[in-house]
Amino acid sequence: MFIIVDTLILYTDMKVNNIKVLMTKDGSHTLLNIALNESYHAHNGALSESKYVYIQAGLMTQLALKKQLNIVEVGFGTGLNTILTLAEAIKQNATIHYTSIEPVPLSLALIEQLNYGQWLTPKLAELYLAIHQAPWEQDVAITANFVLHKYRGEFEQFEFVGQQTDLIYFDAFAPNKQPEIWQLANMQKCAQLLVADGMLVSYCANGQFKRNLKAAGLIVKPYPGALGRREMTRAYQQVVKY
Ligand SMILES: C[S@@+](CC[C@H](N)C(=O)[O-])C[C@H]1O[C@@H](n2cnc3c(N)ncnc32)[C@H](O)[C@@H]1O
């Protein structure tokens, strides 16, 4: 059974733990957090948005500089950014240590409802499952060149003593839904985490978010947004010529 809401198809028979599976306009699924009334990806296309913001504007830019990266993701969610990163790493023969932070992990039953397998090779579909089955709080080699560390908790509590990262995917729920995660203290934490030629990418181009990044000492550059959105955010430790 399904109903149409704002051109999205809402599968009411897939409701698990206050979360529903939605169809986005590129045919890929996203999830709706019912309590927040907030979806995990753009309604115009979950897969297209992830590919554009995090893979093209983020990962591919950093892979042009070096083939060994440490990545931190704020908001593991469906693991879509993780599997797309792994796919690109395989394509480019890159070595990646990927830390993903998530306070509210999704059930495997819910993950299995998502249609991302349609865009993945059978091998990548297997790896997507492996990503979700990987235990939390430890390094897990998903492939020989891709180590995943899932941290169960909030970014605010994430401890990174001595750890630095080349790339941050800041993929939290929108500032009007979860303002606390976009606060200055978290941007200062990002700035401390980033190496000298490191970069943060986010779908979000909220003014206060960008001011907080600047106040944290990062250089914020305007960048065209995904799927007709005017802008997304890329922020750097220093000016790097790409
Ligand atoms: C917009 S969704 C994106 C998820 C993911 N990147 C994906 O592709 O599915 C935001 C995610 O951030 C998580 N989140 C909420 N509060 C957080 C916090 N304080 N620290 C880290 N992640 C948080 C949510 O539970 C949710 O999974």
Side-chain angles (χ1 to χ4, degrees):
M1 172 186 161
F2 61 86
I3 53 175
I4 307 287
V5 177
D6 272 341
T7 73
L8 294 172
I9 299 170
L10 183 60
Y11 290 83
T12 54
D13 57 342
M14 290 184 184
K15 185 174 167 186
V16 180
N17 291 338
N18 217 21
I19 290 189
K20 288 179 182 174
V21 180
L22 302 180
M23 183 65 82
T24 69
K25 286 184 185 164
D26 68 1
S28 62
H29 282 155
T30 190
L31 298 175
L32 175 74
N33 178 310
I34 297 162
L36 286 176
N37 189 27
E38 174 76 348
S39 63
Y40 280 57
H41 307 95
H43 292 189
N44 277 341
L47 186 68
S48 310
E49 179 189 48
S50 283
K51 276 187 171 172
Y52 178 85
V53 174
Y54 299 101
I55 306 306
Q56 285 175 36
L59 178 65
M60 287 165 79
T61 306
Q62 291 306 82
L63 282 178
L65 297 176
K66 48 193 166 183
K67 294 290 183 223
Q68 189 159 349
L69 297 177
N70 280 320
I71 299 176
V72 170
E73 176 178 40
V74 180
F76 174 65
T78 63
L80 182 56
N81 292 337
T82 314
I83 188 63
L84 294 176
T85 300
L86 174 51
E88 190 60 33
I90 292 171
K91 211 192 279 180
Q92 297 207 27
N93 200 21
T95 300
I96 290 181
H97 186 282
Y98 193 103
T99 302
S100 199
I101 302 167
E102 176 58 64
V104 193
L106 301 167
S107 70
L108 198 56
L110 182 59
I111 292 301
E112 284 170 347
Q113 304 288 342
L114 299 171
N115 68 357
Y116 301 146
Q118 286 180 25
W119 288 273
L120 301 173
T121 62
K123 181 67 194 164
L124 283 171
E126 256 176 50
L127 293 173
Y128 182 56
L129 205 57
I131 282 168
H132 281 284
Q133 287 171 332
W136 294 75
E137 319 299 351
Q138 57 184 272
D139 281 3
V140 179
I142 302 296
T143 68
N145 294 328
F146 190 95
V147 173
L148 174 66
H149 190 116
K150 293 190 292 185
Y151 171 83
R152 187 173 184 162
E154 295 181 333
F155 180 58
E156 293 85 329
Q157 272 73 54
F158 174 62
E159 287 181 15
F160 59 93
V161 184
Q163 184 182 339
Q164 282 218 294
T165 188
D166 304 285
L167 182 58
I168 298 174
Y169 297 161
F170 208 95
D171 198 11
F173 287 133
N176 63 336
K177 300 296 167 95
Q178 282 200 316
E180 64 286 354
I181 196 166
W182 305 88
Q183 64 184 303
L184 177 59
N186 283 346
M187 299 314 125
Q188 287 166 333
K189 198 166 181 174
C190 288
Q192 283 169 11
L193 254 175
L194 285 174
V195 296
D197 58 2
M199 177 170 73
L200 173 149
V201 274
S202 178
Y203 72 92
C204 178
N206 170 275
Q208 189 58 50
F209 168 48
K210 290 190 287 183
R211 284 190 289 281
N212 286 345
L213 287 167
K214 283 180 194 162
L218 295 175
I219 298 160
V220 178
K221 295 260 179 180
Y223 195 82
L227 308 167
R229 276 194 181 166
R230 198 169 53 83
E231 208 182 311
M232 54 166 274
T233 297
R234 298 208 298 187
Y236 315 83
Q237 281 289 27
Q238 62 188 25
V239 179
V240 179
K241 288 202 172 77
Y242 292 106

